[in-house]
C-alpha cells in the first residue's frame, strides 16, 4: 500500500541480500523525501507551479542517484548504489521503480523524454560533443520534446513531410509536428525531417536536435477532452538547424530512431507497469465495493493481468528469451489493460468520479480521478504506434505472418 499514507509494503522474498539492502535504502528515502500532500497541492495548479514542482522533484531524485538509474555512471552522477557496475543493475532498477510506485512518488512527467529518449539517442548515436553539451544539461533541468508525428504521419511515421534542406553547414526546416507532449515547456526537440525527397520513405529521413528557441519555431497548445493542453502542435517556418546538430548520418534518421527509442521501451514500460499496479490498481481496491462478488471477480482478473504485465516487462528488461516484437507486445498489453481498468473504475466509483474536474498534474493516467483517467487512457493506444500498428508488428515480426499488402 501507499507508505506515504502510513502503510508498509511487504518484503520481497525473492530479493538477493544486496537487493534487500537497496530496497530498505529506497524505502527510507521515500519516507523522508516524498511530499505526502503532493496530490492535493498539485491538483488544479497553473503551468508555472507544475514546472517548478517537476524540476524540484527531479533535483530531489537526482541528488539521491534515483533520477537516471539507467544512465552510465560517468554521465549520471549522484550517489547511486552501483558498486563497480557502470550502470545500476537491472535488478536494482526494478526495486527502485517498485518502491517509488508503492510509495506513490510523483511521476517525472516533464523530464521523461529527456532522461529516456533524448539520453538514449545521445548515448547510442550522438557525438561526444553532443553528449557533453546535453547530458549534463538534462540533469540540470533541460526539458525535451519529441517532434516525430505529423498530421498525415502518425502511425505511419515514415510518411512524414517535414523537410530539411541542406544549405552549407546548416539545414533549413519547414513543416508541422503534432501531438508533441510538453512542447510548450521544452528547451530542445528530437526532430525527424525528410532530407532526401526522392529516396524511399524510410531512406530519406534525418534525425536532428533542435533548439526550441530558434526563430521560426511556433508552439501551439491543443486543448484536449479533459481540459488540459499537454499535447501541442509545432510549426516550423524556415528554422535553421546547424549541421552539427545532426544525429547519425544524413538520411539515416529512421534507423537511429528505431534503435535508440526501442532501447528504452523495456524499462520505461516496467516503470509504467509498477505505477499501474500501485497508483492504479491498489488505489482502486481501496475504494471499490469488494463485498460485491461481481466487483471482486473483476478485481481478481485485473490483478492476474497486472501480474502478467509486470512479469513480461521484467523479462524484456532482463533480456530473457527476447523477440523482435517484445516491445510491441508490452506496449499493446499495457495500453489496453489501462483502458479496461480505468473504464471499470469509472463504472463502479459512483457519481463523485463523474464530477471530478481536476487531477494531480504530476500523476499519470492512473491518478484515481477515474473518469479523467479513462479519457486520458485512450492516448496510450495511439502514440508510439497505434494498437493496430502494434498488432501488425506482432503478426509480422513476432509470428512470421505475411506482410499486409500495400495500399499505395
Amino acid at each position: 500500500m501507499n507508505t506515504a499514507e502510513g502503510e508498509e509494503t511487504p518484503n520481497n522474498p525473492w530479493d538477493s541480500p544486496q537487493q534487500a539492502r537497496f530496497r530498505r535504502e529506497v524505502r527510507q528515502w521515500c519516507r523522508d523525501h516524498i511530499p505526502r500532500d503532493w496530490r492535493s497541492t498539485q491538483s488544479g495548479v497553473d503551468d508555472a507551479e507544475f514546472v517548478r514542482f517537476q524540476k524540484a522533484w527531479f533535483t530531489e531524485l537526482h541528488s539521491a542517484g534515483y533520477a537516471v538509474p539507467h544512465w552510465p555512471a560517468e554521465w549520471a552522477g549522484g550517489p547511486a548504489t552501483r558498486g563497480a557496475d557502470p550502470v545500476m543493475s537491472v535488478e536494482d532498477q526494478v526495486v527502485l521503480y517498485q518502491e517509488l510506485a508503492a510509495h506513490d512518488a510523483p511521476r517525472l512527467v516533464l523530464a521523461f523524454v529527456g532522461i529516456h529518449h533524448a539520453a538514449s539517442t545521445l548515448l547510442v548515436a550522438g557525438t561526444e560533443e553532443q553528449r557533453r553539451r546535453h547530458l549534463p544539461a538534462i540533469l540540470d533541468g533541460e526539458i525535451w520534446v519529441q517532434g516525430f508525428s505529423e498530421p498525415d504521419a502518425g502511425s505511419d511515421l515514415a510518411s512524414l513531410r517535414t523537410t530539411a534542406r541542406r544549405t552549407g553547414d546548416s539545414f533549413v526546416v519547414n513543416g508541422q509536428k503534432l501531438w508533441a507532449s510538453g512542447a510548450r515547456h521544452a528547451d530542445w526537440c528530437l526532430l525527424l525531417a525528410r532530407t532526401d525527397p526522392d529516396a524511399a520513405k524510410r531512406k530519406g529521413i534525418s534525425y536532428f536536435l533542435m533548439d526550441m528557441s530558434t526563430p521560426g519555431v511556433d508552439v501551439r497548445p491543443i486543448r484536449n477532452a479533459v481540459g488540459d493542453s499537454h499535447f501541442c502542435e509545432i510549426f516550423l517556418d524556415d528554422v535553421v538547424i546547424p549541421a552539427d546538430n545532426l544525429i547519425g548520418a544524413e538520411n539515416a534518421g529512421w534507423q537511429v530512431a528505431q534503435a535508440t527509442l526501442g532501447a528504452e521501451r523495456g524499462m520505461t514500460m516496467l516503470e509504467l507497469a509498477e505505477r499501474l499496479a500501485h497508483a492504479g490498481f491498489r488505489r482502486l481496491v481501496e475504494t471499490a465495493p469488494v463485498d460485491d462478488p461481481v466487483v471482486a471477480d473483476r478485481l481478481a482478473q485485473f490483478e492476474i493481468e497486472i501480474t502478467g504485465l509486470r512479469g513480461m516487462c521484467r523479462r524484456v528488461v532482463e533480456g530473457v528469451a527476447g523477440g523482435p516484437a517484445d516491445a510491441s507486445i508490452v506496449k499493446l498489453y499495457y495500453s489496453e489493460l489501462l483502458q479496461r481498468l480505468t473504464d471499470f473504475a469509472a463504472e463502479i466509483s459512483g457519481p463523485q468520479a463523474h464530477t471530478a474536474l481536476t487531477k494531480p498534474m504530476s500523476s499519470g493516467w492512473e491518478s484515481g480521478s477515474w473518469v479523467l483517467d479513462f479519457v486520458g487512457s485512450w492516448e496510450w493506444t495511439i502514440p508510439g504506434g497505434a494498437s493496430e500498428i502494434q498488432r501488425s508488428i506482432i503478426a509480422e515480426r513476432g509470428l512470421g505472418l505475411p506482410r499486409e499488402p500495400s495500399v499505395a
Side-chain angles (χ1 to χ4, degrees):
M1 292 296 183
N2 179 358
T3 55
E5 297 174 1
E7 300 289 343
E8 182 60 273
T9 53
N11 292 320
N12 190 326
W14 294 279
D15 282 349
S16 67
Q18 192 278 332
Q19 287 174 274
R21 287 194 298 273
F22 184 59
R23 191 180 295 277
R24 289 193 295 271
E25 172 192 316
V26 176
R27 283 180 177 175
Q28 187 58 54
W29 185 90
C30 289
R31 296 188 194 101
D32 295 340
H33 293 272
I34 294 175
R36 292 176 178 268
D37 61 348
W38 74 267
R39 285 184 173 272
S40 60
T41 59
Q42 278 289 290
S43 294
V45 298
D46 60 21
D47 283 345
E49 171 56 23
F50 167 63
V51 173
R52 184 208 66 77
F53 178 84
Q54 279 283 305
K55 290 191 173 184
W57 178 238
F58 179 84
T59 300
E60 192 84 4
L61 283 167
H62 178 49
S63 67
Y66 298 156
V68 288
H70 55 297
W71 287 24
E74 64 177 298
W75 296 108
T81 304
R82 300 186 181 186
D85 295 329
V87 178
M88 183 185 290
S89 70
V90 168
E91 292 77 16
D92 280 356
Q93 289 183 60
V94 171
V95 168
L96 174 63
Y97 289 133
Q98 286 177 341
E99 292 302 318
L100 289 174
H103 287 76
D104 196 30
R107 290 260 295 272
L108 290 176
V109 180
L110 271 186
F112 187 87
V113 173
I115 65 177
H116 291 295
H117 297 164
S120 176
T121 300
L122 291 163
L123 289 167
V124 173
T127 66
E128 185 68 14
E129 182 180 351
Q130 289 168 342
R131 287 192 285 268
R132 291 188 181 281
R133 162 64 183 86
H134 290 292
L135 291 176
I138 290 171
L139 297 181
D140 287 337
E142 187 174 82
I143 303 301
W144 285 72
V145 64
Q146 189 170 296
F148 284 14
S149 296
E150 298 182 4
D152 295 315
S155 294
D156 184 16
L157 184 58
S159 296
L160 65 87
R161 297 180 181 178
T162 294
T163 61
R165 177 174 49 86
R166 182 116 192 196
T167 57
D169 58 357
S170 299
F171 290 84
V172 179
V173 182
N174 286 277
Q176 178 187 356
K177 294 296 177 177
L178 193 61
W179 312 126
S181 302
R184 56 184 170 157
H185 306 304
D187 303 300
W188 284 80
C189 176
L190 299 172
L191 182 76
L192 289 181
R194 190 165 300 283
T195 42
D196 185 352
D198 298 322
K201 286 201 308 184
R202 292 174 175 79
K203 300 295 185 181
I205 296 172
S206 296
Y207 199 127
F208 297 95
L209 309 178
M210 183 180 71
D211 186 342
M212 291 292 285
S213 65
T214 307
V217 177
D218 180 15
V219 177
R220 302 179 191 177
I222 302 170
R223 189 172 178 84
N224 66 16
V226 241
D228 64 35
S229 300
H230 177 65
F231 290 120
C232 300
E233 295 176 281
I234 305 175
F235 292 87
L236 307 167
D237 183 11
D238 287 339
V239 176
V240 178
I241 299 179
D244 288 343
N245 286 8
L246 182 67
I247 291 278
E250 188 174 339
N251 297 323
W254 180 262
Q255 291 77 12
V256 173
Q258 297 305 303
T260 61
L261 300 187
E264 286 302 329
R265 286 174 183 159
M267 193 57 73
T268 56
M269 290 308 304
L270 185 142
E271 179 184 3
L272 291 171
E274 293 298 327
R275 294 284 181 170
L276 182 60
H278 293 279
F281 180 70
R282 289 195 177 189
R283 190 170 291 275
L284 173 59
V285 170
E286 289 170 357
T287 58
V290 293
D291 54 338
D292 184 319
V294 175
V295 172
D297 181 66
R298 288 292 301 278
L299 292 174
Q301 292 179 46
F302 280 126
E303 185 164 26
I304 292 168
E305 289 186 85
I306 291 171
T307 300
L309 172 65
R310 295 168 78 186
M312 285 196 299
C313 291
R314 182 73 178 261
R315 286 172 64 87
V316 169
V317 299
E318 292 178 346
V320 179
D326 283 358
S328 292
I329 293 171
V330 170
K331 196 270 184 182
L332 177 67
Y333 190 20
Y334 169 81
S335 60
E336 297 195 350
L337 174 57
L338 176 63
Q339 274 190 357
R340 293 194 302 274
L341 186 140
T342 53
D343 183 20
F344 179 68
E347 179 184 341
I348 66 170
S349 294
Q352 67 274 14
H354 295 260
T355 56
L357 301 178
T358 61
K359 67 177 183 177
M361 291 282 284
S362 296
S363 67
W365 302 124
E366 58 285 337
S367 72
S369 299
W370 294 118
V371 172
L372 301 182
D373 287 346
F374 174 59
V375 173
S377 73
W378 286 83
E379 294 177 11
W380 279 95
T381 61
I382 300 171
S387 292
E388 293 78 7
I389 298 296
Q390 303 302 337
R391 286 185 167 88
S392 293
I393 293 173
I394 294 167
E396 295 168 7
R397 300 181 191 174
L399 301 176
L401 297 178
R403 294 180 63 88
E404 289 189 359
S406 173
V407 297

